[in-house]
Amino acid sequence: MDHPKRFSDLPEYAFPRLRALLEGVAPGGPEIAMSIGEPQHAFPTFVPEIIAENQAGFSKYPPNDGLPELREAITDWVSARYGLQGITAAAHVLPLNGTREGLFNAALALCPEEKAGQQPAVLLPNPFYQCYAVAALAAGAEPVYVSAREETGFLPNFAALDPKLLERTAIVYMCSPSNPQGAVAGKAYWEQLIGLAERYDFKVFADECYSEIYRDTPPTGALEVAQSMGADRESVLIFHSLSKRSNLAGLRSGFCAGGPQAIAAMKQLRNYAGAPLPLPLQHAAVAVWRDEAHVVENRALYHEKFTLADEILGNTPGYLSPEAGFFLWLRVPDGEAATLTLWREAGVKVLPGAYLSREPGDGSANPGQEFIRAALVAPLEDVRRGLTAIRDVLGRH
């Protein structure tokens, strides 16, 4: 069955839209960048030295499956972090050139051409990472946007969907802790979703890239819950990265872990379409995955910013204190208008929530329309200035 891939159906990418919105508008002060979630804390100091020690590796093609040492380091980390049993480096883990590679290619490798005799559906949280939607379209599936609103704890309620839709669902993308809301899926949530996956024979792609930035309790993982349920590991793939955990967005070290059949299919696709990490970077990633001290320090820095946000914005209407991640999801009357006002009056650059989401197609409004996203990645004093300006400017309007 031939299904058109309507990439034109996607909204324009968020940041070109933001540039167009602010074009020609002078900032009301020195720019305070809070629109992009690019970590700015220091990365581990040992990384450049390891890359230099292994620089001769730049002359070699890296192995498609990753260095054995890297696969072992990842396996040890994910097993210890989530208490997983029986995870092996050879069968259950695939290092990635950043998790975006995996989140995209997993759909190409694992989405069937049809499901229940129809075009397959791929369910996305709404707001969503646009990679999810493009991957669905590239695989010939229909992306279905499932809104994550305050009344559902900012998590999509997949269980409330029409059973006919679930029958043709091939994949569910789920991000926890969520971007942008900072909501965390607990054990009961994962149990329900994995139960649906087994009942309706679809796969859960769990984007857990923000899992190590949290306030008090480590977020529960999807494979952890699948194990406790006795569920088939083929139903769940988890995706992790050093970008947020270790402030190494440019190193491009991530991984996926799951059932051996799913991992084998992704490896096969990667033989033709993948881009394994250069060897010196893989050696650095081994050391980073094996070190937790810098992760604890990084988490403490974000904890300071969470506390600061509570102190400055705690009495601001629409403020919601996040459970995890490093974004604030602030309710405002209109996200675009608030973004323009903050820029014009204070030089604070945030992102309209509507640029991260879309109308779900059920007649309801865009779930990001009345929100702005503000990133807490800048140095503490810059964050303080930005949050104070947000409080003062929004308080005047």
Side-chain angles (χ1 to χ4, degrees):
M1 187 180 297
D2 185 26
H3 301 299
K5 301 174 179 62
R6 300 190 303 274
F7 294 101
S8 60
D9 286 354
L10 288 173
E12 187 182 357
Y13 202 65
F15 297 105
R17 293 179 72 185
L18 178 62
R19 287 193 292 272
L21 177 69
L22 302 181
E23 186 176 5
V25 181
E31 180 179 340
I32 304 173
M34 303 183 79
S35 59
I36 299 178
E38 183 177 62
Q40 296 180 35
H41 296 165
F43 56 75
T45 57
F46 55 77
V47 168
E49 182 178 347
I50 294 175
I51 293 173
E53 289 173 354
N54 292 277
Q55 61 183 298
F58 281 121
S59 68
K60 302 178 183 298
Y61 287 119
N64 192 60
D65 296 351
L67 286 170
E69 306 96 294
L70 179 56
R71 298 200 308 271
E72 289 290 347
I74 290 169
T75 302
D76 290 346
W77 181 84
V78 73
S79 297
R81 169 65 172 83
Y82 294 111
L84 300 179
Q85 305 295 320
I87 294 290
T88 66
H92 297 91
V93 168
L94 176 64
L96 300 172
N97 192 334
T99 49
R100 179 159 49 180
E101 178 206 1
L103 289 165
F104 183 85
N105 283 349
L108 298 186
L110 298 170
C111 187
E113 291 187 10
E114 60 180 45
K115 179 84 184 296
Q118 303 174 72
Q119 181 186 18
V122 172
L123 309 185
L124 321 175
N126 189 23
F128 60 98
Y129 181 28
Q130 289 189 320
C131 172
Y132 307 159
V134 178
L137 290 169
E142 177 194 0
V144 177
Y145 304 90
V146 185
S147 293
R149 302 182 188 273
E150 187 170 8
E151 55 265 30
T152 60
F154 292 110
L155 299 171
N157 185 3
F158 297 113
L161 297 175
D162 187 333
K164 291 182 179 179
L165 172 59
L166 293 172
E167 286 170 0
R168 67 181 183 92
T169 294
I171 293 164
V172 170
Y173 281 96
M174 179 60 199
C175 184
S176 174
S178 64
N179 170 12
Q181 309 98 322
V184 174
K187 181 181 179 182
Y189 185 94
W190 283 122
E191 286 177 340
Q192 183 183 65
L193 179 55
I194 294 168
L196 288 172
E198 295 213 302
R199 178 179 176 184
Y200 289 100
D201 189 26
F202 61 74
K203 295 188 184 299
V204 175
F205 292 173
D207 182 350
E208 299 178 343
C209 289
Y210 296 89
S211 68
E212 304 312 290
I213 302 174
Y214 55 84
R215 289 197 152 184
D216 301 306
T217 304
T220 302
L223 270 183
E224 174 186 10
V225 175
Q227 176 177 274
S228 71
M229 296 170 62
D232 186 351
R233 278 183 177 152
E234 296 295 341
S235 298
V236 179
L237 273 175
I238 63 170
F239 298 83
H240 284 258
S241 168
L242 293 181
S243 296
K244 281 76 178 179
R245 172 188 181 268
S246 304
N247 306 307
L248 282 165
L251 191 69
R252 310 311 300 143
S253 177
F255 73 85
C256 62
Q261 294 176 30
I263 294 297
M266 291 187 65
K267 286 180 180 179
Q268 178 69 355
L269 176 61
R270 202 176 207 223
N271 286 329
Y272 304 101
L277 204 65
L279 285 170
L281 306 189
Q282 290 195 44
H283 283 290
V286 171
V288 179
W289 282 113
R290 292 203 177 280
D291 182 74
E292 285 297 319
H294 75 277
V295 183
V296 174
E297 294 173 5
N298 188 47
R299 191 157 48 241
L301 293 175
Y302 282 115
H303 200 280
E304 284 186 80
K305 295 176 182 180
F306 291 146
T307 301
L308 187 64
D310 290 345
E311 291 173 355
I312 294 174
L313 297 178
N315 294 322
T316 300
Y319 174 69
L320 297 165
S321 187
E323 295 179 72
F326 50 52
F327 297 110
L328 299 182
W329 189 236
L330 302 173
R331 186 182 294 277
V332 292
D334 180 87
E336 279 193 333
T339 298
L340 270 171
T341 299
L342 285 166
W343 179 249
R344 183 185 295 114
E345 296 190 13
V348 176
K349 185 181 288 186
V350 297
L351 191 67
Y355 293 5
L356 298 165
S357 50
R358 66 177 300 172
E359 292 74 17
D362 59 3
S364 60
N366 184 318
Q369 187 66 43
E370 296 180 344
F371 289 88
I372 55 173
R373 190 188 77 175
L376 302 179
V377 295
L380 185 65
E381 288 310 308
D382 289 346
V383 170
R384 185 189 304 275
R385 291 191 301 116
L387 294 175
T388 301
I390 289 172
R391 179 197 63 194
D392 294 345
V393 171
L394 295 183
R396 293 196 294 266
H397 294 271

